[in-house]
Amino acid sequence: MGDQKLVKPVEIKCIFFSEFHPTTGPKIVYQVPTDFPLQDPFDGAHDYIITKPHLYDRLIAVDLDGLKIAGCPKGIQNKKYDRNAFIFNFCFVFEGDCDITPYEGVIRKVGASFKEYEVDSDFLKDEKTRKNIPEILRKVLYQLNTRGYCHVPIDEFNTLNLKIIPLLSKPPQVMDYHVPIFTCNLQNLSDLEWDLTINQILQYIDGFNHVSKIADEADIDKEVVRISIQHLVLYGFASLISIFQYSNMYIVTDSLRNLYKDRELQQWVMTQVALPGKTAKFSDLFKLYCSLEHGQTVRDLCLRHDPNALNIDVRSLIQVGLMRRFIRRLHKYPILKVEDASLPRLLEDVKHLLNGSHHFDEICCELNISYKELDEAIEKATEDSEVIIVIWK
């Protein structure tokens, strides 16, 4: 972080829970404090608080009447609800014309957490649990304003853990297919006082698990995991790299020159990529990096140079190379050439992603399938004609 200083976040003026009522429309159900003048601003902004489906799960902030109202609208489709849907939002209110960036993760997590509670146990609709919302919001408001974090019990199984992160730069975008990898000693990170969600996912961050897999392994909502990993990256405790597979291709970057010139960096890389209990030579690892090129997969590299015989763990070699930007991944991007082409059912579900802007990692995570399955589906679709092409970039 250098010499930069953390700026104290602005104060939260009010937190409220609103929903779409089947007969009266958008309404404030609970607010804390109860005497905060909220109704007029709500009436003027409710289209951005209780929204249409295309705005669900997006952070929306509205400046109105000298206030800034920020929330992340949620919608749950289910026949048990009136009109087959439950639309709600937990919004934070601040003074207008202020920077709420430190609260963005908190606002997203509150919405995502309560959606999870509702899906699991009807927490927001059951009158027995719903009546606890005002006290929960009161504790959240007080603890965040006075301490910058909160641990608020929801029920016997759940606790809402939030932490304001004063930001020094724009938060990194974390996608489901990103792989977080630590940039510091895990023990040092475990000793810090973090949001409990971060502590829960630390054991699943190994430099190979992507965000979706971490969420599944930890049994935590993906949006909550993304926010937690965003915090780790923001503070320099982790980096984001791509999914490792032996079929991947990589090419070197200009940054590899830094490794050639910096003796101290060379020593560090050698310790990171060496097999346990072994010593790697710099000349060997540098030769492996220089051998990465378009048209050669990691599997080809292993067959040609046998990194194990050089005491080098090829997976660590790739990890370090991506972290230090010595190398970059070449991704596969499928492009649908014929819009009305008949596609396998698997590809029909992601037809909108076959435009050359979404790579295999993203599509595989979206469908929860392997590279091989996606390759086979594309191969099947192109048996008779070239309706899909795949480019590397």
Side-chain angles (χ1 to χ4, degrees), residues 271-287:
T271 61
Q272 296 299 310
V273 306
L275 291 170
K278 303 289 185 177
T279 301
K281 293 180 181 179
F282 173 70
S283 58
D284 289 333
L285 73 88
F286 194 76
K287 179 180 69 174

Side-chain angles (χ1 to χ4, degrees), residues 238-251:
S239 291
L240 298 174
I241 60 176
S242 60
I243 297 170
F244 176 86
Q245 296 189 105
Y246 283 95
S247 59
N248 288 354
M249 290 187 196
Y250 302 88
I251 58 174

Side-chain angles (χ1 to χ4, degrees), residues 162-180:
L162 306 169
K163 187 180 183 71
I164 301 169
I165 305 295
L167 302 182
L168 298 174
S169 59
K170 185 179 179 181
Q173 187 176 25
V174 179
M175 308 302 290
D176 291 345
Y177 52 83
H178 279 150
V179 176

Side-chain angles (χ1 to χ4, degrees), residues 54-61 71-74 89 108 223:
H54 69 281
L55 292 177
Y56 291 170
D57 302 323
R58 297 192 181 190
L59 183 68
I60 300 174
C72 196
K74 299 292 177 183
N89 203 343
R108 290 181 185 277
E223 185 177 353

Side-chain angles (χ1 to χ4, degrees), residues 54-166:
H54 69 281
L55 292 177
Y56 291 170
D57 302 323
R58 297 192 181 190
L59 183 68
I60 300 174
V62 180
D63 286 299
L64 189 68
D65 296 340
L67 299 174
K68 186 185 292 286
I69 302 174
C72 196
K74 299 292 177 183
I76 303 173
Q77 303 295 321
N78 197 302
K79 292 181 180 180
K80 69 182 179 181
Y81 300 120
D82 292 323
R83 301 194 183 187
N84 299 323
F86 176 39
I87 308 168
F88 67 94
N89 203 343
F90 282 84
C91 292
F92 287 58
V93 183
F94 308 88
E95 286 187 358
D97 195 28
C98 67
D99 184 5
I100 63 166
T101 306
Y103 288 97
E104 288 182 0
V106 167
I107 295 168
R108 290 181 185 277
K109 186 173 180 181
V110 168
S113 297
F114 275 103
K115 180 179 178 179
E116 193 172 356
Y117 304 151
E118 172 63 20
V119 170
D120 289 345
S121 64
D122 297 323
F123 184 88
L124 300 176
K125 278 297 190 179
D126 188 326
E127 291 299 329
K128 293 181 180 178
T129 50
R130 182 186 178 98
K131 66 182 181 182
N132 297 324
I133 294 176
E135 180 60 17
I136 292 171
L137 297 185
R138 187 192 66 77
K139 291 178 179 178
V140 169
L141 177 69
Y142 175 77
Q143 292 182 27
L144 288 181
N145 276 342
T146 58
R147 301 189 302 194
Y149 65 91
C150 71
H151 306 303
V152 180
I154 302 299
D155 54 31
E156 59 180 313
F157 303 109
N158 298 292
T159 299
L160 184 60
N161 302 295
L162 306 169
K163 187 180 183 71
I164 301 169
I165 305 295

